[in-house]
Amino acid sequence: PKAANLGQLKKMFPDNVVEGLVIPFGIFRQHMNQIMPGRAESYWTFLNSMFAEAEKMRTSNIDENLVEEYQLKQLEILRGAIKKMPLNESFTTALEQDFTSVFGKNIGNIPVFLRSDTNMEDLKDFTGAGLNLTLFNVVDKEKIIEGIKDVWASPYTERSFKWRQKYLLNPENVFPSILVIPSVDVDYSGVLITKGLSSGNENDL
């Protein structure tokens, strides 16, 4: 979604908006099919097994606090494993090529933001703004690779998980994507809140 919005802005204001590249949901999902180190199951199977076990605990009338404690421990294991996850060679090769073709510089020679996004943000009753990790001004190639995995792991933090649990019926199907954009020199940076854009009423945000 962030990448799509960037594309719209780039088309409207081509001279004032940076180029960007996206690591879409599917890349994360493909990597989750790998076998977790020291286990006979994939990262994805581990995640879904955790939710299935939690549901069994609830049907057995186990206290919800204990269910949540179990889930958070399992998510901590998953986060640690994702941060050490090997990246597919085809993906890293494509990433290096995209840095050159999109940004005009080799990976490691340009500072970038790694902006997190998920398929479960800005819903009718839920916004995920600020829940997951965004990394700023990352330059070194190894740090970028490490940062990608850190962003992928961030939806499984306690804060992010608890916030989503209140609203989602299928929290296992949260897929992170990453928007990669170059750092730019700016005088001002932040969020713009527009008042009365369509009605002229200053109370209308």
Side-chain angles (χ1 to χ4, degrees):
K2 280 190 177 77
N5 290 336
L6 179 71
Q8 286 182 311
L9 288 169
K10 183 67 178 174
K11 184 175 181 180
M12 294 166 66
F13 310 105
D15 298 327
N16 297 306
V17 177
V18 296
E19 296 286 355
L21 62 92
V22 64
I23 302 171
F25 307 131
I27 299 294
F28 164 78
R29 182 64 182 82
Q30 287 170 5
H31 281 80
M32 290 289 280
N33 286 335
Q34 298 178 102
I35 300 299
M36 279 180 71
R39 294 179 180 270
E41 60 185 353
S42 69
Y43 298 85
W44 188 247
T45 300
F46 178 89
L47 175 64
N48 282 273
S49 296
M50 180 271 286
F51 281 109
E53 182 62 27
E55 203 51 46
K56 281 184 190 175
M57 294 170 73
R58 290 189 182 97
T59 55
S60 299
N61 294 318
I62 293 177
D63 184 86
E64 185 61 33
N65 287 329
L66 293 176
V67 176
E68 184 177 272
E69 185 181 326
Y70 160 75
Q71 288 183 293
L72 292 176
K73 283 181 179 177
Q74 296 300 100
L75 289 176
E76 185 178 357
I77 293 170
L78 180 63
R79 270 201 324 276
I82 290 174
K83 289 183 177 186
K84 297 176 182 176
M85 174 189 282
L87 296 184
N88 295 336
E89 188 176 339
S90 59
F91 166 62
T92 54
T93 299
L95 186 67
E96 291 181 23
Q97 292 172 346
D98 287 345
F99 259 75
T100 304
S101 62
V102 175
F103 300 139
K105 292 185 178 180
N106 292 336
I107 189 170
N109 292 327
I110 180 173
V112 293
F113 279 42
L114 301 176
R115 297 201 60 198
S116 65
D117 202 2
T118 74
N119 61 324
M120 299 289 187
E121 292 188 21
D122 300 328
L123 307 178
K124 182 175 179 291
D125 298 311
F126 172 73
T127 174
L131 274 184
N132 304 313
L133 184 67
T134 286
L135 297 172
F136 308 89
N137 294 319
V138 188
V139 181
D140 183 72
K141 177 183 173 181
E142 291 307 314
K143 292 290 185 184
I144 291 172
I145 297 299
E146 183 181 302
I148 288 169
K149 292 184 280 188
D150 286 345
V151 173
W152 279 352
S154 66
Y156 304 113
T157 60
E158 179 176 350
R159 175 173 174 263
S160 184
F161 174 71
K162 283 184 175 180
W163 192 260
R164 287 196 311 270
Q165 285 294 92
K166 299 176 185 176
Y167 301 98
L168 303 182
L169 297 175
N170 58 333
E172 71 279 10
N173 288 318
V174 173
F175 304 127
S177 64
I178 301 174
L179 174 61
V180 184
I181 53 175
S183 302
V184 295
D185 291 329
V186 294
D187 295 316
Y188 301 98
S189 179
V191 176
L192 176 69
I193 299 176
T194 311
K195 300 201 297 183
L197 185 65
S198 57
S199 66
N201 178 358
E202 289 213 347
N203 293 319
D204 173 27
L205 296 184

